[in-house]
Amino acid sequence: MKGLVNSYVQRRSILINTSLAKAQISRSLTSLRMVSVIAMSIALFLIQYSTTHYAGFRLAPGHELTFLSDVMLFSCHGTGSGLYLFILPFLAALVGGSVAAIERHSRRMSGMLGREGRGKIMNTSLASGFVLGGIGGLSPLLINLVVAAIMNPHMNFINGDVVDATGLVDGSKYVLIYSDSWLYPLYRFNQPLAILTVMLMVFILSGLFADIAVAASFFTTHRYVEVLIPFVLSMLWWMLPGMTNFLVPDQWSHMIFLFPAPGGADSRQLVQIFVGMALSVCLPVVISASLVAFKRSRDVS
């Protein structure tokens, strides 16, 4: 068993430089970029809280207490969720998208290329970029969850059904996550598991956004350009339904399926949401891998 473990570690060490990955992660987590993400995270929470409680979205009296009432993505009563999802690719790329570019601009890259080879440096940058992007993208939601739980340490299930026995919609009922949301069955079954599921999705998509930026940074010598590329691609993907007369569904965008609280999905839209989730994982992987493969082939030739 010990031999198998050692063999696995050796194979992984061929693919990436673990010491370099640790250094890249450490530098980025203590950088001004991470401080900026934390500041934006606090601002997003304040926007979510203030628009929920003070800007016409007051919570209905008498509803069950839960800290999720003040948490982005889990409550549709504030405007922080939309802003968060809008800038999510930027937050991810800001923290994790420039790991290779920083090495190049600091003039450490040439020495590392001679020792490790371009392939290993690329793999290491993609690995550390994924972790850092996940942390950067998840930070606003994580900070929001922690602060909200401290301010309101309650977790109660709030029924998402708004249609009464007569078939009429009860507009006065307070709802957190609507019953026709894709998340609602999991939320009803186990709330902590529902929270962890959304957090994992945000982390993975953020890491993939960051890897697009890392792969793009191999083709540009200008600073910060790579940080904007995932954001631009995300906006184009989000606008694609309108540009194609809705041949591409809205539900394919992360700005729709990562905000599950509003609900409003029928069976056809639920299928589109799950297709969108799969595409949101597959397409960034294909884009990043294609850019890296093209860069390697061009360097060889």
Side-chain angles (χ1 to χ4, degrees):
M1 182 66 181
K2 185 177 179 181
L4 291 175
V5 172
N6 290 335
S7 176
Y8 173 76
V9 172
Q10 289 173 357
R11 288 198 301 269
R12 289 297 302 271
S13 64
I14 294 174
L15 296 176
I16 67 171
N17 184 320
T18 53
S19 297
L20 175 59
K22 290 177 182 178
Q24 290 176 336
I25 292 172
S26 177
R27 282 196 298 265
S28 295
L29 291 181
T30 55
S31 68
L32 186 60
R33 295 185 182 211
M34 191 65 206
V35 174
S36 301
V37 169
I38 293 174
M40 285 186 278
S41 301
I42 296 172
L44 285 170
F45 169 71
L46 293 175
I47 291 171
Q48 177 71 14
Y49 186 85
S50 62
T51 54
T52 298
H53 291 271
Y54 301 110
F57 299 99
R58 295 183 182 276
L59 303 184
H63 72 82
E64 291 285 345
L65 293 175
T66 174
F67 74 92
L68 291 177
S69 298
D70 296 319
V71 177
M72 297 179 294
L73 308 187
F74 295 96
S75 173
C76 56
H77 298 278
T79 59
S81 298
L83 290 173
Y84 173 39
L85 294 176
F86 183 77
I87 65 173
L88 180 64
F90 173 77
L91 294 173
L94 184 62
V95 179
S98 300
V99 286
I102 289 172
E103 301 290 1
R104 184 173 63 248
H105 292 305
S106 65
R107 303 186 186 280
R108 292 189 294 264
M109 182 66 79
S110 57
M112 290 188 295
L113 289 175
R115 295 191 306 270
E116 306 290 346
R118 186 175 296 278
K120 197 169 186 179
I121 297 301
M122 285 182 169
N123 292 338
T124 302
S125 298
L126 289 170
S128 57
F130 179 85
V131 173
L132 288 166
I135 294 172
L138 186 60
S139 291
L141 180 58
L142 184 59
I143 291 174
N144 193 169
L145 281 163
V146 171
V147 176
I150 293 173
M151 295 173 60
N152 183 13
H154 302 89
M155 179 183 282
N156 295 308
F157 173 73
I158 297 177
N159 194 297
D161 295 317
V162 294
V163 179
D164 60 23
T166 64
L168 297 176
V169 176
D170 184 1
S172 64
K173 181 181 178 182
Y174 176 73
V175 176
L176 187 66
I177 298 175
Y178 282 81
S179 59
D180 53 359
S181 165
W182 67 265
L183 185 66
Y184 187 75
L186 187 57
Y187 166 70
R188 181 175 54 192
F189 171 72
N190 189 299
Q191 292 183 64
L193 184 59
I195 294 170
L196 289 174
T197 298
V198 173
M199 291 177 66
L200 180 62
M201 290 175 62
V202 171
F203 183 91
I204 292 174
L205 293 182
S206 298
L208 293 174
F209 281 134
D211 271 354
I212 291 176
V214 172
S217 71
F218 298 135
F219 294 89
T220 177
T221 58
H222 299 287
R223 292 179 183 269
Y224 312 121
V225 172
E226 68 278 354
V227 175
L228 299 176
I229 290 176
F231 177 77
V232 172
L233 292 178
S234 171
M235 289 299 100
L236 291 174
W237 185 251
W238 179 56
M239 293 186 296
L240 201 57
M243 296 166 60
T244 61
N245 198 23
F246 295 95
L247 292 175
V248 173
D250 279 328
Q251 285 74 20
W252 284 7
S253 171
H254 78 277
M255 284 188 269
I256 302 298
F257 66 73
L258 277 184
F259 189 15
D266 55 27
S267 58
R268 179 179 61 86
Q269 291 171 327
L270 285 174
V271 172
Q272 293 172 344
I273 283 173
F274 291 120
V275 171
M277 292 177 183
L279 288 174
S280 295
V281 172
C282 295
L283 288 179
V285 170
V286 170
I287 292 172
S288 301
S290 299
L291 289 174
V292 170
F294 178 73
K295 177 65 175 176
R296 287 177 176 175
S297 65
R298 195 174 70 171
D299 289 345
V300 170
S301 60

